[in-house]
């Protein structure tokens, strides 16, 4: 029994340490106001779990209010990592976008004061109701993850963003999140459900479950204002925090603006603001303005905790903003009192909160900086350690502990006031150390679920970093352990001091440079494989593995690289089979009989922590019946996609154009202009140059417009004839497609399009189809999701002057990078539509 409790305590402690120290690159440096707020929070033992489906679904105003005004421990459980969304800041999609959006949520929580959790559910894309969602998610596993989070976090109150009773009126993931939350409310307290979790945490019964209705739920402000709210409780969240100079809404806006990949920059507001909650399960409230009504949120809820609460009240009342260190003696006493409590959920949480407060009050700065940003297992890195006590309270660095090898070094170094103690040590990294990578991507999952084999890791938001330094600080004869991740620090001439984490990387990584390659002429092609050194002086062999009916020579190529981060590109001769074929090509490196098969992908944006992602080094080689013509293409990038690279693979000459480069002269260099996804939503300069693009068409050229979302940025002349963009979409990628104009050139030249070309599509067929359009447009395709009416706006073609205008909501931006053959063939036909040979077909059927 004692062993189980110790393990449970360790898991809680590690998860808390993880959140406190790996959610930020730069060291935490609180001012006196922030320290005071944390002392107030230390004296509040209530918790709220907010549940929704995606990053950006959370109500940051409510999270900020509960965390900063009520001082409650507040967390957001996002069932997915947002992998199925679009990306406004770069080309990353699917799991790479999920990594970005994970980090954006972590950044948001730093601002609004919340914590972050996830389930294993994969955001596979839009679904129209919860039934569709549960057909792809493993319902039982996602339910288990919600129960696990409740048992781990032990919320007094749960708040759902969405209504469990309204499936089909919003994204299916939304309703599914609410349904699972409602089920989990009582299941979390049932020891017969998911009993394997009880090895780590006990059952738990929250007191109340709410639904958080909003303008979003009602559709618009007018309907929301007119709605009957008499059965709801209300909370005035338009708080002004005088000590920070910000309103609650301003803090929430900063938090929401962290979702940069989704374009959710938000402007802060001030003044009165009301949030509404509907009680859907649990104890009724007598005080309808307090969701904790009747719940003991004081230290009295912990056995032996009354005296702790009384002491904290004294610390708060006597807090000296000009000298926070004056509180240290009582804070150290509080630390001893909490540490002596019996095993309890709140014990480990409050000890970690208290350690941060002690460090803040004393100006205690602890840092472990590596001389390299990346290191391989088995190597040795030099660490510069710094410890400085900027208070008058005597302290001693009694020693340090190195993790994960748990080596202890005794120092007994006195930390005199404002004297930095610095030392350098060699840290030997274990041969079996895990690589730094998103743990949920380590194993191959399914369309609907990520595979996480270690139960205790489920829900952890970030990369699990094993390399840590524990500084053991003695204060008043009490040794307090402070854990810090090892970081890499450098100076940027523009940005100043910059931090990254120490990443553990493979000895070598490999990459097939072209992710999709075509062999349609049947000839042998040289395929480039890149090798990158993870350390100095490596040598080995590179191999390109293909199916038996594809030929590759030579079998292996020897290489050597003298310096870490050096790259070398090697070439293999690849010959396709006679018949159409598609194969997954795999590259690998063998060093000292050890096979390494990962591609290293670095995601590096200013607003999030730098991320290393290791994925299988794979690519698609295809021999298919694809015919192309010889057009010169100008591509106007919108929200970010990989379509230009795919066009180049098809053999086209492609140039990227910015709106500022669009003029009558520059357009003469092209036969076809293609606008990227959401180009009119994201490029303000495109709207004022749209007349030039239409004139380009009128003179005999082709304009292909990919999907945009309906908003005020869409110009009235986005098309030469009236066209209205709607919310219509076909989410079932396997939905049957009807050819409305089977004789149209776009289905016949240079490729004969058949039903086979719509097999193997991924995530969705298309989105934001026009639902109203002028008779000048010829609708080419029709399809629909189960139980819905046919949607005819997927591909619209109109002759304008001497040229062709094409609008398509088909998800080419997803299908092309995934190597979907039919998407390539259909796009080739769109591009070739103006070619004279196509005139052999009758446009009018």
């Amino acid at each position: 029994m004692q062993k189980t409790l110790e393990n449970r305590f360790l898991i809680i402690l590690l998860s808390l340490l993880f959140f406190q120290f790996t959610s930020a690159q730069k060291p935490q440096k609180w001012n006196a106001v922030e320290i005071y707020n944390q002392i107030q929070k230390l004296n509040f033992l209530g918790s709220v779990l907010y549940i929704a489906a995606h990053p950006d679904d959370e109500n940051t105003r409510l999270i900020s209010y509960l965390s900063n005004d009520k001082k409650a421990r507040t967390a957001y459980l996002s069932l997915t990592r947002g992998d199925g969304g679009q990306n406004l800041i770069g080309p990353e999609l699917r799991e790479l976008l999920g990594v970005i959006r994970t980090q954006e949520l972590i950044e948001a929580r730093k601002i609004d004061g919340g914590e972050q959790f996830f389930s294993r559910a994969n955001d596979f894309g839009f679904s129209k109701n919860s039934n569709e969602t549960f057909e792809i998610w493993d319902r039982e596993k996602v339910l288990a993850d919600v129960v696990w989070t409740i048992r781990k976090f032990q919320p007094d109150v749960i708040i759902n963003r969405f209504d469990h009773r309204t499936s089909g009126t919003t994204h299916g993931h939304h309703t599914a999140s609410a349904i699972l939350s409602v089920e989990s409310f009582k299941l979390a307290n049932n020891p017969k459900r998911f009993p394997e979790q009880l090895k780590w945490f006990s059952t738990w019964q929250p007191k109340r479950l709410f639904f958080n209705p909003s303008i979003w739920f009602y559709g618009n402000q007018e309907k929301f204002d007119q709605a009957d709210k008499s059965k709801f409780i209300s909370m005035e969240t338009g708080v002004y925090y005088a000590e920070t100079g910000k309103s609650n809404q301003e803090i929430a806006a900063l938090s929401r603006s962290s979702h940069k990949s989704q374009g959710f920059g938000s402007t802060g507001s001030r003044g009165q603001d009301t949030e509404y909650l509907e009680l859907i399960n649990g104890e009724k409230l007598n005080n309808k303005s307090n969701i904790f009504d009747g719940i003991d949120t004081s230290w009295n809820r912990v056995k032996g905790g009354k005296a702790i609460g009384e002491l904290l009240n004294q610390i708060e009342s006597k807090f000296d903003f000009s000298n926070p260190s004056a509180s240290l003696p009582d804070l150290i006493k509080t630390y001893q009192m909490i540490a002596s409590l019996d095993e309890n959920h709140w014990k480990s949480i409050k000890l970690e909160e208290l350690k941060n407060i002690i460090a803040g009050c004393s100006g205690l700065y602890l840092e472990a900086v590596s001389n390299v940003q990346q290191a391989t297992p088995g190597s040795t890195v030099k660490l510069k350690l710094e410890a400085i006590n900027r208070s008058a309270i005597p302290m001693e660095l009694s020693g340090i502990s190195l993790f994960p090898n748990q080596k202890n070094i005794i120092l007994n170094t006195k930390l005199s006031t404002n004297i930095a103690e610095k030392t350098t040590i060699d840290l030997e990294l274990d041969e079996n150390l895990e690589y730094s990578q998103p743990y949920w991507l380590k194993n191959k999952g399914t369309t609907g679920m990520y595979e996480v084999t270690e139960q205790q890791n489920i829900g952890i938001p970030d990369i699990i970093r094993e390399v840590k330094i524990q500084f053991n600080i003695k204060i008043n004869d009490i040794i307090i352990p402070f854990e810090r991740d090892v970081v890499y620090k450098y100076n940027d001439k523009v940005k100043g001091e910059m931090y990254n984490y120490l990443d553990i990387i493979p000895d070598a990584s490999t990459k097939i440079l072209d992710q999709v390659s075509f062999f349609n002429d049947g000839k042998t092609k040289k395929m480039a494989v890149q090798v990158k050194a993870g350390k100095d002086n490596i040598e080995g062999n590179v191999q390109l593995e293909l199916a038996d009916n594809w030929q590759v020579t030579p079998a292996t190529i020897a290489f050597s690289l003298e310096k870490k981060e050096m790259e070398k590109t090697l070439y293999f001769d690849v010959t396709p089979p006679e018949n159409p074929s598609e194969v997954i090509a795999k590259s690998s490196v063998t060093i000292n009989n050890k096979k390494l098969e990962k591609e290293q992908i670095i995601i590096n944006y200013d607003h999030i922590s730098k991320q290393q992602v290791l994925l299988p080094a794979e690519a698609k080689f295809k021999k298919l019946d694809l015919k192309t013509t010889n057009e010169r293409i100008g591509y106007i990038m919108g929200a970010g996609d990989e379509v230009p690279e795919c066009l180049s693979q098809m053999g086209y000459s492609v140039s990227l154009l910015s709106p500022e480069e669009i003029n009558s002269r520059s357009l003469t260099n092209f036969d076809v202009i293609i606008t990227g996804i959401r180009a009119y939503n994201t490029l303000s300069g495109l709207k004022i140059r749209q007349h030039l693009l239409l004139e380009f068409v009128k003179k005999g050229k082709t304009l292909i417009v990919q999907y945009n979302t309906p908003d005020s940025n869409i110009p009235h002349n986005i098309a030469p004839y009236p066209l209205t963009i709607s919310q219509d979409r076909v989410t079932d990628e396997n939905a049957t497609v009807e050819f409305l104009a089977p004789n149209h050139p776009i289905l016949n030249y240079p490729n004969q399009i058949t039903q086979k070309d719509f097999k193997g599509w991924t995530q969705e067929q298309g989105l934001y189809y026009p639902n109203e359009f002028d008779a000048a447009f010829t609708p080419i395709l029709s399809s629909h999701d189960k139980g819905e009416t046919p949607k005819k706006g997927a591909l619209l073609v109109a002759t304008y002057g001497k040229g062709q205008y094409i609008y398509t909501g088909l998800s080419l931006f997803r299908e092309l990078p995934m190597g979907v053959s039919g998407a390539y063939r259909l796009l080739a036909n769109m591009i070739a539509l103006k070619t004279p040979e196509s005139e052999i077909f009758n446009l009018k059927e």
Side-chain angles (χ1 to χ4, degrees):
M1 180 63 180
Q2 182 63 33
K3 184 71 171 178
T4 301
L5 290 176
E6 289 174 356
N7 289 340
R8 183 180 305 175
F9 175 76
L10 180 62
I11 292 298
I12 296 173
L13 181 60
L14 288 177
S15 67
L16 287 164
L17 288 171
F18 176 83
F19 181 80
Q20 291 291 334
F21 294 107
T22 67
S23 63
Q25 291 171 293
K26 291 188 176 181
Q28 183 174 262
K29 300 174 184 177
W30 284 339
N31 59 41
V33 168
E34 291 168 327
I35 294 169
Y36 180 73
N37 287 335
Q38 291 302 314
I39 290 173
Q40 290 181 313
K41 201 162 190 173
L42 186 64
N43 209 11
F44 189 92
L45 278 66
S47 55
V48 182
L49 180 63
Y50 200 90
I51 298 180
H54 310 107
D56 71 44
D57 283 346
E58 80 273 27
N59 184 340
T60 54
R61 294 188 181 197
L62 193 51
I63 290 174
S64 175
Y65 172 76
L66 291 168
S67 177
N68 297 304
D69 186 76
K70 294 303 181 184
K71 309 302 180 184
R73 187 180 180 224
T74 310
Y76 174 43
L77 168 58
S78 175
L79 294 195
T80 77
R81 296 177 182 269
D83 325 79
Q86 285 86 51
N87 185 0
L88 292 183
I89 61 173
E92 297 88 355
L93 293 174
R94 292 301 311 143
E95 65 270 11
L96 297 182
L97 177 57
V99 171
I100 292 172
R101 297 188 72 184
T102 291
Q103 292 301 311
E104 290 176 339
L105 265 184
I106 291 171
E107 294 300 319
R109 297 294 79 78
K110 293 181 200 176
I111 295 168
D112 59 37
E115 300 179 36
Q116 186 62 51
F117 298 107
F118 293 95
S119 80
R120 290 170 290 177
N122 191 336
D123 179 3
F124 55 84
F126 191 88
S127 68
K128 294 182 176 178
N129 57 64
S130 56
N131 291 333
E132 288 182 4
T133 298
F134 289 134
E135 287 176 1
I136 298 177
W137 285 355
D138 187 320
R139 194 183 196 281
E140 186 74 357
K141 287 183 179 179
V142 184
L143 178 64
D145 292 355
V146 179
V147 169
W148 166 258
T149 305
I150 293 172
R151 288 172 174 173
K152 178 180 181 180
F153 187 71
Q154 294 190 13
D156 297 304
V157 174
I158 296 175
I159 301 175
N160 291 344
R161 181 52 156 166
F162 301 105
D163 192 344
H164 64 289
R165 300 158 294 197
T166 54
S167 185
T169 61
T170 181
H171 195 320
H173 296 179
H174 293 168
T175 312
S177 72
I179 290 172
L180 294 176
S181 175
V182 170
E183 287 186 38
S184 299
F185 182 74
K186 290 187 176 180
L187 285 184
N189 199 35
N190 184 350
K192 295 182 180 180
R193 292 293 274 142
F194 314 113
E196 69 280 359
Q197 298 178 1
L198 302 182
K199 176 182 177 183
W200 291 275
F201 300 107
S202 61
T203 58
W204 181 253
Q205 181 57 64
K207 296 296 190 297
R208 297 186 179 100
L209 174 63
F210 293 98
F211 160 52
N212 178 206
S214 63
I215 295 172
W216 188 3
F217 174 72
Y218 285 97
N220 57 53
Q221 183 69 54
E222 182 180 0
K223 291 180 180 178
F224 182 63
D225 292 340
Q226 295 173 352
D228 179 10
K229 307 182 187 71
S230 60
K231 295 182 181 180
F232 299 162
I233 71 166
S234 62
M235 292 185 293
E236 294 304 316
T237 57
V239 180
Y240 172 61
Y241 303 110
E243 65 273 21
T244 63
K246 292 185 178 69
S247 69
N248 187 67
Q249 302 98 307
E250 288 171 324
I251 294 173
L254 291 171
S255 173
R256 189 153 185 79
S257 296
S258 298
H259 299 294
K260 299 185 187 305
S261 66
Q262 301 302 293
F264 281 154
S266 180
T267 301
S269 61
R270 290 143 296 279
Q272 291 184 335
D273 191 36
T274 305
E275 286 290 338
Y276 295 93
L277 298 176
E278 178 189 359
L279 181 65
I280 56 179
N281 210 335
E283 300 174 2
K284 293 183 178 179
L285 296 96
N286 294 316
N287 180 353
K288 292 193 175 182
S289 63
N290 179 16
I291 62 174
F292 293 104
D293 179 47
I295 301 171
D296 190 352
T297 58
S298 73
W299 274 95
N300 293 334
R301 75 185 297 174
V302 176
K303 184 180 179 180
K306 182 179 180 181
I308 296 171
E310 292 172 350
L311 181 54
L312 286 171
N313 284 332
Q314 295 176 27
I315 294 171
E316 181 181 337
S317 66
K318 296 188 298 183
F319 185 77
D320 185 348
F321 284 86
S322 64
N323 181 24
S325 65
S327 298
L328 279 173
D330 283 339
L331 288 170
I332 298 301
K333 184 178 178 181
T334 306
Y335 184 88
Q336 290 178 276
M337 294 169 70
I338 296 176
S340 65
L341 292 173
D342 294 336
E343 162 60 17
N344 181 276
H345 170 72
W346 286 104
K347 174 180 177 178
S348 53
I349 294 169
K350 294 303 180 180
L351 279 177
E352 288 310 309
E353 290 181 8
L354 186 50
K355 285 197 292 186
N356 291 330
I357 292 169
I358 290 170
C361 284
S362 62
L364 180 62
Y365 184 89
L366 305 169
E367 188 174 70
V369 178
S370 168
N371 66 323
V372 293
Q373 197 267 311
Q374 297 181 331
T376 57
S379 65
T380 298
V381 298
K382 288 190 178 295
L383 296 185
K384 291 182 178 179
L385 306 182
E386 179 181 349
I388 182 169
N389 166 27
R390 289 173 284 185
S391 74
I393 303 298
M395 294 187 189
E396 178 182 288
L397 176 58
S398 63
I400 59 172
S401 302
L402 313 181
F403 292 96
N405 56 6
Q406 298 185 341
K407 181 180 178 181
N408 298 312
I409 300 175
I410 298 174
L411 295 173
N412 295 327
T413 302
K414 183 180 179 181
L415 296 180
S416 301
T417 303
N418 209 31
I419 302 297
E421 295 294 338
K422 299 181 180 180
T423 187
T424 301
I425 65 170
D426 289 334
L427 176 63
E428 297 179 3
L429 302 176
D430 189 272
E431 287 279 0
N432 299 315
L433 198 60
E434 291 275 355
Y435 299 137
S436 305
Q437 62 179 323
Y439 68 91
W440 61 94
L441 297 178
K442 180 180 176 181
N443 302 312
K444 185 175 178 59
T446 65
T447 301
M449 297 295 296
Y450 283 120
E451 179 69 25
V452 180
T453 56
E454 298 84 4
Q455 175 67 48
Q456 65 271 31
N457 291 345
I458 292 173
I460 291 176
D462 207 350
I463 290 173
I464 299 172
R465 299 181 186 276
E466 297 182 271
V467 184
K468 300 174 185 291
I469 302 296
Q470 179 177 291
F471 294 81
N472 299 311
I473 305 295
K474 182 185 287 187
I475 311 174
N476 291 353
D477 293 325
I478 303 299
I479 294 179
I480 302 177
F482 293 88
E483 218 173 278
R484 296 292 184 266
D485 287 302
V486 175
V487 297
Y488 172 73
K489 185 167 66 174
Y490 64 99
N491 183 69
D492 183 280
K493 290 184 178 180
V494 176
K495 301 173 184 176
E497 186 178 61
M498 301 293 291
Y499 283 79
N500 287 315
Y501 295 116
L502 170 67
D503 281 334
I504 308 304
I505 66 172
D507 289 352
S509 58
T510 178
K511 176 183 180 180
I512 303 172
L513 292 186
D514 292 323
Q515 294 299 291
V516 179
S517 293
F518 295 101
F519 294 78
N520 298 329
D521 57 8
K523 296 179 180 178
T524 298
K525 291 178 65 174
K526 288 190 176 296
M527 300 308 301
V529 176
Q530 186 181 82
V531 182
K532 182 178 180 181
K535 62 180 183 180
D536 293 344
N537 299 316
I538 64 169
E539 58 182 34
N541 294 289
V542 180
Q543 182 178 10
L544 183 62
E545 301 176 50
L546 296 169
D548 293 339
N549 57 343
W550 289 69
Q551 297 179 10
V552 56
T553 56
T556 62
I557 300 177
F559 78 96
S560 63
L561 293 170
E562 295 179 359
K563 293 293 183 181
K564 178 182 177 179
E565 296 188 0
M566 283 185 64
E567 296 175 345
K568 181 172 288 188
T569 302
L570 308 170
Y571 293 90
F572 292 84
D573 291 323
V574 175
T575 305
E578 292 184 6
N579 298 320
S581 175
E582 177 182 305
V583 66
I584 299 295
K586 300 180 180 181
S587 63
S588 62
V589 178
T590 302
I591 301 173
N592 296 328
N593 296 320
K594 183 179 180 180
K595 192 173 185 179
L596 304 169
E597 304 172 287
K598 296 295 185 180
E599 174 185 350
Q600 182 193 53
I601 300 168
I602 300 297
I603 298 175
N604 196 9
Y605 291 99
D606 285 345
H607 68 297
I608 58 175
S609 298
K610 181 180 179 182
Q611 301 290 296
Q612 171 182 256
V613 183
L614 299 173
L615 296 178
E618 296 179 348
K620 281 188 178 181
F621 290 176
K622 304 171 75 72
K623 183 183 180 186
L624 57 89
D625 181 14
L626 172 66
K627 299 180 180 66
T628 59
T629 44
N630 194 32
E631 284 76 16
R632 298 164 298 168
I633 298 173
Y635 197 92
I636 303 169
M637 188 69 75
D641 58 55
E642 298 180 52
V643 174
E645 293 89 338
C646 297
L647 289 167
S648 295
Q649 272 293 320
M650 295 169 74
Y652 294 109
S653 171
V654 184
S655 299
L656 295 180
L657 282 177
S658 68
E660 293 71 26
E661 294 173 308
I662 298 173
N663 56 60
S664 298
R665 180 178 297 177
S666 66
L667 291 178
T668 60
N669 297 320
F670 304 104
D671 304 301
V672 178
I673 297 293
I674 302 177
T675 64
I677 58 173
R678 299 177 69 177
Y680 293 91
N681 300 124
T682 58
L683 301 176
S684 57
L686 186 56
K687 182 177 182 177
I688 61 175
R689 294 171 176 82
Q690 179 66 8
H691 68 284
L692 296 174
L693 296 178
L694 293 182
E695 188 64 26
F696 171 80
V697 178
K698 198 171 185 178
K699 291 179 179 179
K701 303 299 180 69
T702 299
L703 174 62
I704 301 173
V705 177
Q706 296 183 82
Y707 94 91
N708 292 269
T709 59
D711 69 22
S712 58
N713 290 323
I714 303 299
H716 71 278
N717 62 340
I718 188 174
Y721 310 107
L723 174 150
T724 302
I725 301 171
S726 75
Q727 300 284 344
D728 286 354
R729 63 204 301 161
V730 178
T731 62
D732 181 2
E733 61 269 28
N734 299 312
T736 301
V737 177
E738 178 186 355
F739 295 165
L740 300 176
N743 295 324
H744 196 286
I746 207 166
L747 294 177
N748 293 278
Y749 179 82
N751 303 286
Q752 184 76 37
I753 303 300
T754 70
Q755 291 293 337
K756 290 182 180 179
D757 290 298
F758 291 93
K759 302 298 182 184
W761 283 50
T762 181
Q763 187 162 324
E764 59 196 347
Q765 272 190 8
L767 59 171
Y768 298 106
Y769 293 168
N771 62 349
E772 296 179 4
F773 42 86
D774 193 88
F777 287 102
T778 300
I780 304 298
L781 307 171
S782 174
S783 64
H784 60 89
D785 287 322
K786 184 178 179 181
E788 295 193 355
T789 57
K791 305 294 185 290
K792 299 181 179 181
L795 182 58
L796 302 174
V797 181
T799 299
Y800 181 61
K802 297 180 180 180
Q804 298 293 327
Y805 176 94
I806 301 172
Y807 189 97
T808 180
L810 293 170
S811 60
L812 300 176
F813 72 105
R814 296 195 189 280
E815 313 311 322
L816 296 173
M818 295 299 293
V820 176
S821 301
Y824 281 94
R825 286 162 46 82
L826 184 57
L827 180 57
N829 285 17
M830 295 184 202
I831 292 168
L833 187 57
K834 70 176 185 60
T835 305
E837 287 87 342
S838 67
E839 295 175 2
I840 63 174
F841 297 98
N842 181 0
L843 281 172
K844 295 295 183 181
E845 292 189 76

